[in-house]
Coordinates of all heavy atoms in Angstrom, one line a residue:
M3 N 31.2 -18.2 7.5 CA 30.1 -18.1 6.6 C 28.8 -17.8 7.5 O 28.6 -18.5 8.5 CB 30.0 -19.4 5.9 CG 28.8 -19.5 5.0 SD 28.8 -21.1 4.1 CE 27.5 -20.8 3.1
T4 N 28.1 -16.8 7.0 CA 26.9 -16.5 7.7 C 25.7 -17.2 7.0 O 25.7 -17.3 5.8 CB 26.6 -15.0 7.8 OG1 26.6 -14.5 6.5 CG2 27.8 -14.3 8.5
T5 N 24.7 -17.6 7.8 CA 23.5 -18.2 7.2 C 22.4 -17.2 7.4 O 22.3 -16.5 8.4 CB 23.2 -19.5 7.8 OG1 23.0 -19.3 9.2 CG2 24.3 -20.5 7.6
R6 N 21.4 -17.3 6.5 CA 20.3 -16.5 6.6 C 19.3 -17.1 7.6 O 19.2 -18.4 7.6 CB 19.6 -16.3 5.2 CG 20.6 -15.6 4.2 CD 20.0 -15.6 2.9 NE 19.2 -14.4 2.8 CZ 18.5 -14.1 1.7 NH1 18.5 -14.9 0.7 NH2 17.9 -12.9 1.6
P7 N 18.5 -16.3 8.3 CA 17.5 -16.9 9.2 C 16.4 -17.6 8.4 O 16.2 -17.3 7.3 CB 17.0 -15.7 10.0 CG 17.3 -14.5 9.2 CD 18.5 -14.9 8.3
Q8 N 15.8 -18.6 9.0 CA 14.8 -19.3 8.4 C 13.6 -18.4 8.1 O 13.2 -17.5 9.0 CB 14.3 -20.4 9.3 CG 15.2 -21.6 9.5 CD 15.2 -22.5 8.2 OE1 14.2 -22.5 7.5 NE2 16.2 -23.3 8.0
N9 N 13.0 -18.5 7.0 CA 11.8 -17.7 6.6 C 10.7 -18.6 6.4 O 10.8 -19.5 5.5 CB 12.1 -16.8 5.4 CG 11.0 -15.9 5.1 OD1 10.0 -15.9 5.7 ND2 11.3 -15.0 4.1
S10 N 9.6 -18.5 7.1 CA 8.5 -19.4 6.9 C 7.7 -19.1 5.7 O 6.7 -19.8 5.5 CB 7.6 -19.3 8.2 OG 7.0 -18.0 8.3
G11 N 8.0 -18.0 5.0 CA 7.2 -17.7 3.8 C 6.1 -16.7 4.1 O 5.4 -16.3 3.3
N12 N 6.0 -16.4 5.4 CA 5.0 -15.4 5.8 C 5.6 -14.0 5.9 O 6.3 -13.8 6.9 CB 4.4 -15.9 7.1 CG 3.2 -15.0 7.6 OD1 2.9 -14.1 6.9 ND2 2.6 -15.4 8.7
P13 N 5.2 -13.1 5.0 CA 5.8 -11.8 5.1 C 5.4 -11.0 6.3 O 6.1 -10.0 6.7 CB 5.4 -11.1 3.8 CG 4.2 -11.9 3.3 CD 4.3 -13.3 3.9
A14 N 4.3 -11.4 7.0 CA 3.9 -10.6 8.1 C 4.9 -10.8 9.3 O 4.9 -10.0 10.2 CB 2.5 -11.1 8.6
I15 N 5.7 -11.8 9.3 CA 6.7 -12.0 10.3 C 7.7 -10.9 10.4 O 8.1 -10.4 11.5 CB 7.4 -13.4 10.2 CG1 6.4 -14.5 10.4 CG2 8.5 -13.5 11.1 CD1 6.9 -15.8 10.1
N16 N 8.1 -10.4 9.2 CA 9.1 -9.3 9.2 C 8.5 -8.0 8.7 O 9.1 -7.3 7.9 CB 10.2 -9.8 8.2 CG 10.9 -11.0 8.7 OD1 11.2 -11.1 9.9 ND2 11.2 -11.9 7.8
L17 N 7.5 -7.5 9.3 CA 6.8 -6.3 8.9 C 7.8 -5.1 9.1 O 7.7 -4.2 8.2 CB 5.5 -6.1 9.7 CG 4.4 -6.9 9.3 CD1 3.1 -6.7 10.2 CD2 4.0 -6.7 7.8
T18 N 8.6 -5.1 10.1 CA 9.4 -3.9 10.3 C 10.5 -3.9 9.2 O 10.8 -2.8 8.7 CB 10.1 -3.9 11.7 OG1 10.8 -5.2 11.9 CG2 9.1 -3.8 12.8
V19 N 11.0 -5.0 8.8 CA 12.0 -5.1 7.8 C 11.4 -4.7 6.5 O 12.0 -3.9 5.7 CB 12.6 -6.5 7.7 CG1 13.5 -6.6 6.5 CG2 13.4 -6.8 8.9
L20 N 10.2 -5.2 6.2 CA 9.5 -4.8 5.0 C 9.2 -3.3 4.9 O 9.4 -2.7 3.9 CB 8.2 -5.6 4.8 CG 8.3 -7.1 4.6 CD1 7.0 -7.7 4.6 CD2 9.0 -7.3 3.2
E21 N 8.8 -2.7 6.0 CA 8.5 -1.3 6.1 C 9.8 -0.5 5.8 O 9.8 0.5 5.1 CB 7.9 -0.9 7.4 CG 7.6 0.5 7.6 CD 6.5 1.0 6.6 OE1 5.8 0.2 6.0 OE2 6.4 2.3 6.5
E22 N 10.9 -0.9 6.4 CA 12.2 -0.2 6.2 C 12.6 -0.3 4.7 O 13.0 0.7 4.2 CB 13.3 -0.8 7.1 CG 13.1 -0.5 8.6 CD 14.1 -1.3 9.4 OE1 15.0 -2.0 8.9 OE2 14.0 -1.2 10.6
K23 N 12.4 -1.4 4.1 CA 12.8 -1.6 2.7 C 11.9 -0.7 1.8 O 12.3 -0.1 0.9 CB 12.8 -3.0 2.3 CG 13.7 -3.9 3.1 CD 14.6 -4.7 2.2 CE 15.5 -5.5 3.0 NZ 16.9 -5.2 2.7
R24 N 10.6 -0.7 2.2 CA 9.7 0.1 1.4 C 10.0 1.5 1.4 O 10.0 2.2 0.4 CB 8.2 -0.1 1.9 CG 7.2 0.6 1.1 CD 5.8 0.6 1.8 NE 5.9 1.4 3.0 CZ 5.8 2.8 3.0 NH1 5.6 3.4 1.8 NH2 5.8 3.5 4.1
R25 N 10.3 2.0 2.6 CA 10.7 3.4 2.8 C 12.0 3.8 2.0 O 12.1 4.8 1.4 CB 10.8 3.8 4.3 CG 9.5 3.9 5.0 CD 9.7 4.2 6.5 NE 8.5 4.1 7.2 CZ 7.9 5.1 7.8 NH1 8.5 6.3 7.7 NH2 6.8 4.9 8.4
A26 N 12.9 2.9 2.1 CA 14.2 3.1 1.4 C 14.0 3.1 -0.1 O 14.5 4.0 -0.8 CB 15.2 2.0 1.8
M27 N 13.2 2.2 -0.6 CA 12.9 2.2 -2.1 C 12.1 3.5 -2.5 O 12.4 4.1 -3.5 CB 12.1 1.0 -2.4 CG 12.9 -0.3 -2.3 SD 12.0 -1.8 -2.8 CE 11.8 -1.5 -4.5
R28 N 11.2 4.0 -1.6 CA 10.5 5.2 -2.0 C 11.4 6.4 -2.0 O 11.3 7.2 -2.9 CB 9.4 5.4 -1.0 CG 8.5 6.6 -1.2 CD 7.2 6.6 -0.5 NE 6.5 7.8 -0.6 CZ 5.7 8.1 -1.7 NH1 5.6 7.2 -2.7 NH2 5.1 9.2 -1.8
L29 N 12.3 6.5 -1.0 CA 13.3 7.6 -1.0 C 14.2 7.5 -2.2 O 14.5 8.6 -2.8 CB 14.1 7.5 0.3 CG 13.4 7.9 1.6 CD1 14.3 7.7 2.8 CD2 12.9 9.4 1.5
Q30 N 14.6 6.4 -2.6 CA 15.4 6.2 -3.8 C 14.6 6.7 -5.0 O 15.2 7.4 -5.9 CB 15.9 4.8 -3.9 CG 16.9 4.6 -5.1 CD 17.4 3.2 -5.2 OE1 16.8 2.3 -4.6 NE2 18.5 3.0 -5.9
A31 N 13.4 6.3 -5.1 CA 12.6 6.7 -6.3 C 12.4 8.2 -6.3 O 12.5 8.8 -7.4 CB 11.2 6.0 -6.2
L32 N 12.2 8.8 -5.1 CA 12.0 10.3 -5.1 C 13.3 11.0 -5.5 O 13.3 12.0 -6.2 CB 11.6 10.7 -3.7 CG 10.2 10.3 -3.3 CD1 10.0 10.7 -1.8 CD2 9.2 11.0 -4.2
A33 N 14.5 10.4 -5.1 CA 15.8 10.9 -5.5 C 15.9 10.9 -7.0 O 16.4 11.8 -7.7 CB 16.9 10.2 -4.8
Y34 N 15.5 9.7 -7.7 CA 15.5 9.6 -9.1 C 14.6 10.7 -9.8 O 15.0 11.2 -10.8 CB 15.1 8.2 -9.6 CG 16.1 7.1 -9.3 CD1 15.7 5.9 -8.9 CD2 17.5 7.4 -9.4 CE1 16.6 4.9 -8.6 CE2 18.4 6.4 -9.1 CZ 18.0 5.1 -8.7 OH 18.9 4.1 -8.5
L35 N 13.5 10.9 -9.2 CA 12.6 11.9 -9.8 C 13.2 13.3 -9.7 O 13.1 14.1 -10.6 CB 11.2 11.9 -9.1 CG 10.4 10.6 -9.4 CD1 9.1 10.6 -8.6 CD2 10.0 10.6 -10.9
E36 N 13.8 13.6 -8.6 CA 14.5 14.9 -8.4 C 15.6 15.1 -9.5 O 15.8 16.1 -10.1 CB 15.1 15.1 -7.0 CG 14.0 15.3 -6.0 CD 14.6 15.3 -4.5 OE1 15.8 15.2 -4.4 OE2 13.8 15.3 -3.6
E37 N 16.4 14.0 -9.7 CA 17.4 14.0 -10.6 C 16.9 14.2 -12.0 O 17.4 15.0 -12.9 CB 18.3 12.7 -10.6 CG 19.4 12.7 -11.6 CD 20.5 13.7 -11.3 OE1 20.6 14.2 -10.2 OE2 21.4 13.9 -12.2
A38 N 15.8 13.6 -12.3 CA 15.1 13.8 -13.7 C 14.7 15.2 -13.8 O 14.9 15.8 -14.9 CB 13.9 12.8 -13.8
D39 N 14.2 15.8 -12.8 CA 13.8 17.3 -12.9 C 15.0 18.1 -13.2 O 14.9 19.1 -14.0 CB 13.1 17.7 -11.6 CG 11.7 17.1 -11.5 OD1 11.1 16.7 -12.5 OD2 11.2 17.2 -10.4
R40 N 16.1 17.8 -12.5 CA 17.3 18.6 -12.7 C 17.8 18.4 -14.1 O 18.3 19.4 -14.8 CB 18.4 18.2 -11.7 CG 18.2 18.8 -10.3 CD 19.5 18.6 -9.5 NE 19.8 17.2 -9.2 CZ 19.2 16.5 -8.2 NH1 18.4 17.1 -7.3 NH2 19.6 15.2 -8.0
L41 N 17.8 17.2 -14.6 CA 18.2 17.0 -16.0 C 17.3 17.6 -17.0 O 17.8 18.2 -18.0 CB 18.3 15.5 -16.3 CG 19.4 14.7 -15.5 CD1 19.3 13.2 -15.7 CD2 20.8 15.2 -16.0
D42 N 16.0 17.7 -16.7 CA 15.1 18.4 -17.6 C 15.4 19.9 -17.7 O 15.4 20.5 -18.7 CB 13.6 18.2 -17.2 CG 13.1 16.8 -17.5 OD1 13.7 16.1 -18.3 OD2 12.1 16.4 -16.9
A43 N 15.7 20.4 -16.5 CA 16.0 21.8 -16.4 C 17.3 22.1 -17.1 O 17.4 23.1 -17.9 CB 16.1 22.3 -15.0
L44 N 18.3 21.3 -17.0 CA 19.5 21.4 -17.7 C 19.4 21.3 -19.2 O 19.9 22.2 -20.0 CB 20.5 20.4 -17.2 CG 21.9 20.4 -17.9 CD1 22.6 21.7 -17.7 CD2 22.7 19.2 -17.4
Y45 N 18.6 20.4 -19.6 CA 18.3 20.2 -21.1 C 17.6 21.5 -21.6 O 17.9 22.0 -22.7 CB 17.4 19.0 -21.3 CG 17.0 18.8 -22.7 CD1 17.9 18.3 -23.6 CD2 15.7 19.2 -23.1 CE1 17.5 18.1 -25.0 CE2 15.3 19.0 -24.5 CZ 16.2 18.5 -25.4 OH 15.8 18.3 -26.7
A46 N 16.6 22.0 -20.8 CA 15.9 23.2 -21.3 C 16.9 24.4 -21.3 O 16.8 25.2 -22.3 CB 14.8 23.5 -20.3
A47 N 17.8 24.5 -20.4 CA 18.7 25.6 -20.4 C 19.7 25.5 -21.6 O 20.0 26.5 -22.2 CB 19.5 25.6 -19.1
V48 N 20.1 24.3 -21.9 CA 21.0 24.1 -23.0 C 20.4 24.3 -24.3 O 21.0 24.9 -25.3 CB 21.7 22.7 -22.9 CG1 22.5 22.4 -24.2 CG2 22.6 22.6 -21.7
T49 N 19.1 23.9 -24.5 CA 18.4 24.0 -25.7 C 17.6 25.3 -25.8 O 16.9 25.5 -26.8 CB 17.6 22.8 -26.0 OG1 16.6 22.7 -24.9 CG2 18.4 21.5 -26.1
T50 N 17.6 26.1 -24.8 CA 16.8 27.4 -24.7 C 15.3 27.1 -24.9 O 14.6 27.9 -25.5 CB 17.3 28.4 -25.7 OG1 17.1 28.0 -27.0 CG2 18.8 28.8 -25.5
N51 N 14.8 26.0 -24.4 CA 13.4 25.7 -24.4 C 12.9 25.9 -23.0 O 13.6 25.9 -22.0 CB 13.1 24.2 -24.8 CG 13.4 24.0 -26.3 OD1 13.3 24.9 -27.1 ND2 13.7 22.8 -26.6
A52 N 11.6 26.1 -22.9 CA 11.0 26.2 -21.5 C 11.0 24.8 -20.9 O 10.9 23.8 -21.5 CB 9.5 26.6 -21.7
P53 N 11.2 24.8 -19.5 CA 11.3 23.4 -18.8 C 10.1 22.5 -19.1 O 10.3 21.3 -19.3 CB 11.3 23.8 -17.4 CG 11.8 25.2 -17.3 CD 11.3 25.9 -18.6
G54 N 8.9 23.0 -19.2 CA 7.8 22.2 -19.4 C 7.8 21.6 -20.8 O 7.5 20.4 -21.0
S55 N 8.2 22.4 -21.8 CA 8.2 21.8 -23.2 C 9.4 20.8 -23.3 O 9.2 19.9 -24.1 CB 8.4 23.0 -24.2 OG 9.6 23.6 -24.0
A56 N 10.5 21.0 -22.6 CA 11.6 20.0 -22.7 C 11.1 18.7 -22.2 O 11.4 17.6 -22.8 CB 12.8 20.5 -21.9
A57 N 10.4 18.7 -21.1 CA 9.9 17.4 -20.5 C 8.9 16.8 -21.4 O 8.9 15.6 -21.7 CB 9.4 17.6 -19.1
Q58 N 8.0 17.7 -22.0 CA 7.0 17.2 -22.9 C 7.6 16.6 -24.2 O 7.2 15.5 -24.6 CB 6.0 18.3 -23.2 CG 4.8 17.8 -24.0 CD 3.9 18.9 -24.3 OE1 4.2 20.1 -24.1 NE2 2.7 18.6 -24.8
Q59 N 8.6 17.2 -24.7 CA 9.3 16.7 -25.9 C 9.9 15.3 -25.6 O 9.9 14.5 -26.4 CB 10.3 17.7 -26.4 CG 9.7 18.9 -27.0 CD 10.8 19.9 -27.4 OE1 12.0 19.7 -27.2 NE2 10.4 21.1 -27.9
E60 N 10.5 15.2 -24.4 CA 11.2 14.0 -24.1 C 10.1 12.8 -24.0 O 10.4 11.7 -24.4 CB 11.9 14.1 -22.8 CG 12.6 12.9 -22.3 CD 13.8 12.5 -23.2 OE1 14.3 13.4 -23.9 OE2 14.1 11.3 -23.3
V61 N 9.0 13.1 -23.4 CA 7.9 12.1 -23.3 C 7.4 11.8 -24.7 O 7.1 10.6 -25.0 CB 6.8 12.6 -22.4 CG1 5.6 11.7 -22.4 CG2 7.3 12.8 -21.0
L62 N 7.2 12.7 -25.5 CA 6.6 12.5 -26.8 C 7.6 11.8 -27.8 O 7.1 11.1 -28.7 CB 6.2 13.8 -27.5 CG 5.0 14.5 -26.8 CD1 4.7 15.8 -27.4 CD2 3.8 13.6 -26.7
S63 N 8.9 11.9 -27.6 CA 9.8 11.3 -28.5 C 10.1 9.8 -28.2 O 9.7 9.3 -27.2 CB 11.1 12.0 -28.5 OG 11.7 11.9 -27.2

């Protein structure tokens, strides 16, 4: 069984870990946005709408 290291409650102690996690979360968020753009383009292609209007319709609905 592994135990977690003691954390004093001070986030400044693990700045490198926090920075790595922040970067990973940002990269994941950017990947989700890219996927959303691909899905918008696919929706537009299937419904023969312009890409901008497909995204706008999705937001408005």
Side-chain angles (χ1 to χ4, degrees):
M3 178 178 184
T4 59
T5 59
R6 301 174 89 183
Q8 288 283 339
N9 187 355
S10 67
N12 184 358
I15 292 174
N16 296 319
L17 285 179
T18 55
V19 173
L20 290 173
E21 180 64 16
E22 289 173 6
K23 299 235 182 241
R24 184 193 67 80
R25 287 178 189 244
M27 289 179 73
R28 182 165 174 80
L29 288 174
Q30 186 178 17
L32 292 173
Y34 287 141
L35 290 173
E36 289 174 4
E37 181 67 15
D39 288 342
R40 284 192 294 272
L41 291 172
D42 285 344
L44 178 61
Y45 176 80
V48 169
T49 60
T50 65
N51 288 334
S55 65
Q58 186 177 13
Q59 289 173 2
E60 182 66 25
V61 170
L62 295 175
S63 62

